[in-house]
Amino acid sequence: GPRGAARGAAPRGLVVSPLAVGLACAGVAQAPTPAFGTGVEGVYVDVFVTEDSRPVRGLGHEDFELRDNGVRRRAELVGVAWAPLGVSLVLDSSSSVAGEKLVQLRAATRALLSGLAPDDEASLVTFDEEVSVRVPPTRDRARLEQGVSRIQPGGATAVFDALYAGTMLASDRGRTLLVLFTDGEDNVSWLDASRVQRVLLESNVLVQVVGIVPGGRGIPFEPTTDTERLAAEAPYVATLRRFAEATGGRFWAASAPERLENAFLAILAAMKTRYVLRFEPDRARRVGLHKLEVKLRRGKGQVHYRKAYFIGPLAQ
């Protein structure tokens, strides 16, 4: 459909137009950036450890080595149940999602919502050429499921704009899991990949991306330097995978619509088997981007974690 065109549909909640996203992008240097303040007392890092795409359990704080801008920090292990989970669902509702894909997407989303704990919150954002906030953060599962049932596909695909908007909307809620679903590549966004990557690095959001990819098994691609596999990866998949991995998340490939529920439930299971590391930054609390490195001191496994965090100036 034409960019920004209106269509007859069910109530959509708050709609963020492409122009609004574009203006937000133009003013991002002046706008407040989602970040830890300089008075931060501790930094929390979600860490996933896998071997052959399966979670590695039973690790302790002594199994990890964490470096902040190259300086080794003493990290403690915090229980994952210490705070309720905030989930931001950002779902593709473009015309290509119509039919069986929509049926399976609704089922997958409901399955994920039913697996949340009572104190967990969730929100629902959909996108075509516009970004629509259908349900703000809530514990009301019925309201969320109603929002999912009202999705009516149509229009083009503004993945980058939606990911930017979803990240900015979630960033004031602390650490949030953002689940992005799309069945194809971006074809209408105002924002480019580099701007979205920057916002993701400066946020506290953990992004997990689900895509329909022929040959996918509903499991994430392990980080690899295999040139043959990377050469076969579609450019848009590679971009979305980089987005997710920058925040500590992954790209989960479903081979067909009926595999979406497997991917959504696997993401929820991964969140329940993660390790949360907490460490104290240096006393200077240097403002800016801090690069992180987390690795295992012993044993085998792929370590997935946020690649950086951002400390902003202390609010006046």
Side-chain angles (χ1 to χ4, degrees):
R3 175 180 287 181
R7 299 186 307 278
R12 299 168 54 118
L14 173 64
V15 176
V16 183
S17 71
L19 178 58
V21 174
L23 291 175
C25 172
V28 73
Q30 291 77 35
T33 302
F36 299 99
T38 54
V40 65
E41 295 181 355
V43 177
Y44 294 84
V45 183
D46 289 270
V47 179
F48 302 85
V49 182
T50 60
E51 187 173 6
D52 297 328
S53 296
R54 296 174 181 169
V56 175
R57 305 172 187 269
L59 300 178
H61 69 89
E62 68 279 359
D63 293 302
F64 295 97
E65 180 178 306
L66 184 148
R67 293 181 182 272
D68 176 7
N69 276 345
V71 179
R72 187 170 173 177
R73 303 289 181 200
R74 182 180 180 279
E76 61 178 332
L77 197 60
V78 181
V80 296
W82 69 282
L85 185 63
V87 180
S88 179
L89 295 166
V90 181
L91 307 180
D92 189 340
S93 61
S94 62
S95 57
S96 61
V97 178
E100 184 62 16
K101 287 181 184 178
L102 179 59
V103 172
Q104 298 297 336
L105 176 60
R106 285 172 172 163
T109 304
R110 292 186 182 112
L112 185 148
L113 290 172
S114 67
L116 296 179
D119 288 340
D120 293 340
E121 283 190 338
S123 61
L124 176 63
V125 175
T126 62
F127 64 94
D128 38 55
E129 67 263 18
E130 295 179 335
V131 181
S132 303
V133 183
R134 292 180 175 270
V135 183
T138 181
R139 297 185 183 91
D140 188 340
R141 304 293 184 261
R143 185 180 178 189
L144 288 160
E145 291 189 7
Q146 186 179 52
V148 172
S149 68
R150 288 178 173 174
I151 295 175
Q152 297 294 330
T157 310
V159 179
F160 293 169
D161 288 354
L163 187 51
Y164 174 92
T167 300
M168 297 302 289
L169 289 168
S171 290
D172 63 350
R173 299 170 53 210
R175 293 157 52 253
T176 299
L177 167 65
L178 189 154
V179 179
L180 170 72
F181 163 76
T182 184
D183 71 334
E185 62 185 305
D186 189 292
N187 55 23
V188 73
S189 282
W190 284 69
L191 303 177
D192 60 18
S194 62
R195 185 60 61 93
V196 175
Q197 181 94 355
R198 172 188 164 187
V199 170
L200 289 173
L201 283 174
E202 294 181 351
S203 77
N204 296 328
V205 174
L206 191 156
V207 175
Q208 302 278 19
V209 179
V210 178
I212 297 179
V213 179
R217 294 176 293 163
I219 62 173
F221 290 135
E222 291 283 1
T224 181
T225 56
D226 179 19
T227 55
E228 183 177 350
R229 203 227 58 192
L230 290 176
E233 190 174 74
Y236 84 91
V237 172
T239 298
L240 293 174
R241 178 174 55 78
R242 286 195 300 271
F243 285 164
E245 290 178 0
T247 70
R250 307 163 81 183
F251 186 97
W252 303 70
S255 60
E258 57 267 23
R259 302 287 294 186
L260 287 176
E261 185 171 331
N262 289 351
F264 275 52
L265 291 178
I267 288 172
L268 189 59
M271 292 302 293
K272 295 178 180 180
T273 57
R274 73 195 190 278
Y275 300 92
V276 182
L277 298 178
R278 179 189 181 279
F279 72 95
E280 298 283 344
D282 62 73
R283 293 183 179 180
R285 306 292 199 270
R286 184 179 63 81
V287 172
L289 200 65
H290 290 239
K291 294 183 179 180
L292 289 172
E293 181 183 1
V294 181
K295 62 182 181 180
L296 293 177
R297 290 179 176 172
R298 53 179 177 261
K300 298 187 299 181
Q302 293 279 355
V303 184
H304 314 270
Y305 59 94
R306 169 172 291 280
K307 300 305 184 288
Y309 70 99
F310 189 85
I311 291 183
L314 189 62
Q316 299 299 317

